[in-house]
Amino acid sequence: MKHSCTFCTEEAIVSVPHRGLRLCRYHFINYVETEVENVIARYSMLEDVRKLLVAVSGGKDSVALLHILSKICERKKIDIIAVTIDLGIEGYSDECVRVARELCHMLGIRHVILRVSDHGFTIDDVKELEHRLRRPVCAVCGLVKRYLLNKVALQERCDAIATGHNLIDVAQYLVINFLSGNLEAMQKLLPVTPGEEGVLVRRIRPLYFIHEKETKLYVELLGLPVVQRVCPYSERQTRHRRKPPFQEYLRAMLLDLDDRYPGTLFHFVENFVRKVAPVLRIESLKEYTKCKICGLPTSRSDGICAFCHIAGLIRELKSGRRN
Ligand code: SF4
Ligand code: ZN
Ligand code: ZN
């Protein structure tokens, strides 16, 4: 049976059960943009921000994020730059860079591409050396991305870094960190991670309460360019196994739960922010010194930051200087 939109006489194309809405194309686009704007306002994400860095991987979330932020920043007269990290993953990274470039061109936004290979390795190398590094490829990839984004944001004098983490990403990380008792990691999953002058740039997550199916539909309805491939190292690529990888299984389970009981994820994450996070002790950056190699902060006892440490190790293993 066809339903009309909650706000007009047009046919509804989507329902938003936790809000009790049925929406036409126009009002759905409007709904997503308003939700993001409300989250930005509620958590003062753009307070004192004159220049904003948006991390754009080319995936649906970062594409939707850049599109929405370009409108908001234009109105608020905030300078915006998009940054894409070329991870050096064969058959994948080229498409990410191409899509991000196309989107930035379309939106008239300055685009900066950072190449991991400029540091003497690629994420393909990390995968190959995964066992010898004793760290999963995605953990190293995440560290590399965080480091490079912070570094370029400091160089470009940006006041905040926006990333495309959405509701299911946050819910999944919260559960994983709760299961392993990693409260420190849970603290870092708030809508805003404060920065520290000249050292660490504030992180904002404007899609914090947005469902991934909403960003997917948003970019489809607007015909925005999106990367179609999935990273070859993502757990989604290993579905053929009899037992699905833990994180992928958990994500599917949480999404299924939210389908059966709409609003579950939204309330879970909202309750975390409102009731749980305030009782966790939020620590600012630990005691740190400047990395002996790059000058960015490190709390490691050898005085070398995690990025410089792992980059050095990878280069040594690649060149055979270390077994
Ligand atoms: Fe990096 Fe691919 Fe893992 Fe994502 S799935 S963290 S892009 S290696
Ligand atoms: Zn409508
Ligand atoms: Zn360093």
Side-chain angles (χ1 to χ4, degrees):
M1 198 177 98
K2 289 181 180 172
H3 293 278
S4 24
C5 172
T6 308
F7 300 114
C8 71
T9 53
E10 289 290 313
E11 188 185 324
I13 56 162
V14 63
S15 65
V16 184
H18 68 280
R19 294 268 193 242
L21 301 173
R22 293 182 205 278
L23 301 169
C24 67
R25 178 187 185 279
Y26 172 82
H27 281 112
F28 173 74
I29 291 170
N30 198 270
Y31 159 79
V32 174
E33 293 176 352
T34 309
E35 286 286 295
V36 173
E37 194 150 5
N38 288 343
V39 172
I40 288 174
R42 196 182 321 145
Y43 297 102
S44 309
M45 289 182 177
L46 295 178
E47 201 173 273
D48 300 326
V49 172
R50 283 152 300 151
K51 189 171 180 185
L52 177 69
L53 186 156
V54 184
V56 181
S57 67
K60 60 184 182 346
D61 299 316
S62 64
V63 167
L65 178 68
L66 185 64
H67 192 264
I68 297 168
L69 284 175
S70 69
K71 291 185 178 188
I72 296 173
C73 288
E74 196 180 346
R75 246 183 291 129
K76 291 183 179 286
K77 308 226 175 315
I78 295 173
D79 198 6
I80 191 169
I81 62 166
V83 172
T84 303
I85 300 177
D86 180 343
L87 299 167
I89 299 175
E90 213 184 317
Y92 175 66
S93 293
D94 283 354
E95 190 183 334
C96 297
V97 171
R98 184 186 57 72
V99 165
R101 191 184 285 138
E102 188 186 334
L103 178 72
C104 292
H105 182 72
M106 226 174 100
L107 299 174
I109 288 173
R110 187 174 150 228
H111 188 211
V112 174
I113 301 163
L114 300 177
R115 292 192 169 77
V116 176
S117 61
D118 287 346
H119 297 269
F121 68 96
T122 63
I123 298 300
D124 278 342
D125 294 328
V126 175
K127 179 66 188 172
E128 211 162 290
L129 298 166
E130 199 173 24
H131 295 297
R132 290 162 82 191
L133 291 168
R134 294 199 198 99
R135 291 181 79 168
V137 59
C138 291
V140 177
C141 184
L143 180 140
V144 167
K145 287 190 275 197
R146 281 192 300 278
Y147 173 87
L148 292 178
L149 286 175
N150 188 53
K151 191 173 177 186
V152 71
L154 287 170
Q155 284 165 349
E156 291 279 343
R157 298 183 177 279
C158 293
D159 305 296
I161 299 171
T163 59
H165 295 96
N166 62 30
L167 185 65
I168 181 67
D169 295 331
V170 177
Q172 182 185 344
Y173 293 144
L174 282 178
V175 174
I176 286 169
N177 287 310
F178 182 72
L179 291 176
S180 60
N182 192 347
L183 298 186
E184 200 182 324
M186 287 174 82
Q187 291 169 7
K188 290 181 186 155
L189 286 169
L190 286 165
V192 176
T193 308
E196 200 156 314
E197 184 66 34
V199 174
L200 199 66
V201 180
R202 182 197 307 172
R203 296 250 164 179
I204 63 170
R205 302 176 180 91
L207 303 183
Y208 201 81
F209 288 108
I210 304 293
H211 278 271
E212 67 173 5
K213 57 186 173 196
E214 292 173 345
T215 54
K216 185 167 182 280
L217 185 58
Y218 180 86
V219 296
E220 271 172 24
L221 292 175
L222 287 166
L224 299 173
V226 177
V227 172
Q228 300 299 336
R229 295 177 195 201
V230 175
C231 174
Y233 308 137
S234 133
E235 283 195 345
R236 256 174 282 170
Q237 294 293 76
T238 53
R239 269 193 187 140
H240 57 277
R241 290 191 199 160
R242 267 185 55 220
K243 190 165 138 192
F246 181 80
Q247 294 209 21
E248 196 57 24
Y249 179 70
L250 176 68
R251 191 177 180 97
M253 208 179 75
L254 290 171
L255 286 171
D256 183 49
L257 185 72
D258 198 65
D259 271 348
R260 289 168 199 259
Y261 304 98
T264 305
L265 292 184
F266 181 86
H267 293 300
F268 167 50
V269 171
E270 197 186 36
N271 284 332
F272 167 73
V273 178
R274 284 185 41 232
K275 300 176 184 168
V276 181
V279 296
L280 296 174
R281 205 157 42 88
I282 308 288
E283 285 177 19
S284 59
L285 203 60
K286 287 182 193 153
E287 282 293 297
Y288 64 87
T289 53
K290 286 191 170 182
C291 169
K292 289 176 194 163
I293 299 174
C294 71
L296 287 178
T298 178
S299 47
R300 286 167 52 96
S301 55
D302 61 3
I304 293 175
C305 76
F307 174 84
C308 290
H309 168 77
I310 202 94
L313 193 58
I314 298 165
R315 286 192 296 263
E316 280 183 24
L317 286 168
K318 269 183 74 183
S319 65
R321 278 180 283 137
R322 186 190 275 254
N323 292 317

